[in-house]
Amino acid sequence: MLRVALCQLTSSTDPKANLDLVREWVGRAAGEGARVVVFPEAMMARFGVRLAPLAEPVDGPWALAVSEVAREADVLVIAGMFTPDGDRVRNTLLVTGLGEHRGYDKIHLYDAFGFRESDTVAGGSEQVTVAVDGVRLGLATCYDVRFPELFQSLADAGSSAVVLPASWGAGKGKREQWELLVRARALDSGCWVLACGQAHPAATGTEVNPKAPTGIGYSAVADPFGHLHAELGAGPDLLVTDIDPELAAKSREATGVLANRRLGRE
């Protein structure tokens, strides 16, 4: 079993204040025995503001400070940040602690529902996995959840679970899509999906840019058979859960979804 904590909160536009939140919530999660502590996409600074002036490299001050938090708590921290890329930025998941310090750059950019992430963000191209206590985790970010081939590729790379930080856009039917997609990606990859979203700003009376995807809450854990294992509500909260990697193997054997594919395999 691997104990994972999902920290559902609303980040601000101030990276220093958000670093304080990381420190506080890592302490809470580690106190409950978590080995992996997950924060949402855009944890460094939320969407709806200019991102380029806030961006820092993975070896910059913000990420190194998170690394120190992870080291002190003896956990792996996964948190959304923005890294420089010319006139644009990369939407990066920082992966730090337990001997790791690197990033995953979001592959699929949110050019949908009237929002154009690609105007300010450059897309990544490399999938990333990380092992914690013998359990391999794949990484994906928000809009990536709409692309099953990424999750199946991460399963092919040995992942028993996929960590999915998000800052989901609100709107009619969007909660239902979020819940459906999280469960579907778990089932069609035979992976646990650990989906950690930004809390809904309205739950704390936080004013945000209404045109930006700033979260709806409802962080969720789906097991490899697509069952909803645990879920939060709309407001800030901590979800701590134990995942069993053997269930991933059982799911893949039962459904045959990876072995029986005929399209999209190299």
Side-chain angles (χ1 to χ4, degrees):
M1 293 285 187
L2 179 67
R3 181 160 291 184
V4 180
L6 306 184
C7 302
Q8 177 176 286
L9 44 78
T10 298
S11 62
S12 72
T13 59
D14 180 358
K16 291 183 179 179
N18 295 331
L19 180 60
D20 290 339
L21 288 175
V22 169
R23 186 175 292 108
E24 174 190 349
W25 287 63
V26 165
R28 290 177 58 188
E32 296 196 30
R35 287 288 280 164
V36 179
V37 185
V38 183
F39 290 89
E41 176 188 24
M43 185 62 222
M44 181 187 191
R46 67 171 175 247
F47 286 108
V49 298
R50 290 187 63 213
L51 300 175
L54 300 175
E56 295 182 7
V58 169
D59 60 356
W62 195 86
L64 290 179
V66 176
S67 177
E68 182 62 17
V69 172
R71 187 194 64 78
E72 291 176 354
D74 193 31
V75 298
L76 183 82
V77 173
I78 300 173
M81 63 177 297
F82 298 103
T83 54
D85 190 298
D87 293 334
R88 295 188 289 175
V89 300
R90 296 281 181 128
N91 187 340
T92 301
L93 292 182
L94 172 66
V95 182
T96 189
L98 303 182
E100 297 284 349
H101 191 78
R102 51 198 172 108
Y104 161 69
D105 294 330
K106 183 178 180 184
I107 293 174
H108 302 96
L109 300 182
Y110 184 54
D111 288 359
F113 294 96
F115 190 82
R116 282 192 54 82
E117 187 176 13
S118 64
D119 286 346
T120 56
V121 178
S125 60
E126 300 293 329
Q127 68 181 42
V128 173
T129 69
V130 59
V132 179
D133 298 343
V135 180
R136 186 157 296 278
L137 309 173
L139 299 179
T141 305
C142 202
Y143 190 58
D144 280 336
V145 76
R146 294 185 180 272
F147 301 89
E149 62 274 14
L150 173 59
F151 287 70
Q152 292 182 331
S153 179
L154 290 168
D156 288 338
S159 300
S160 298
V162 178
V163 177
L164 178 70
S167 185
W168 201 249
K172 183 178 180 180
K174 293 297 295 297
R175 175 185 165 186
E176 291 80 3
Q177 291 177 32
W178 166 251
E179 293 172 336
L180 174 62
L181 288 163
V182 168
R183 295 177 63 193
R185 293 298 80 81
L187 182 59
D188 57 30
S189 66
C191 285
W192 292 86
V193 175
L194 309 166
C196 181
Q198 292 260 352
H200 200 306
T204 55
T206 303
E207 292 187 9
V208 297
N209 184 336
K211 296 182 179 180
T214 48
I216 63 167
Y218 296 95
S219 297
V221 175
D223 77 19
F225 283 95
H227 300 136
L228 190 62
H229 182 74
E231 185 179 36
L232 296 177
D237 206 349
L238 179 69
L239 191 165
V240 180
T241 189
D242 294 318
I243 63 169
D244 180 2
E246 293 185 4
L247 195 61
K250 292 177 181 177
S251 170
R252 294 166 194 178
E253 182 179 358
T255 67
V257 292
L258 299 181
N260 294 335
R261 280 174 295 169
R262 293 295 178 267
L263 301 176
R265 301 186 72 174
E266 294 183 359

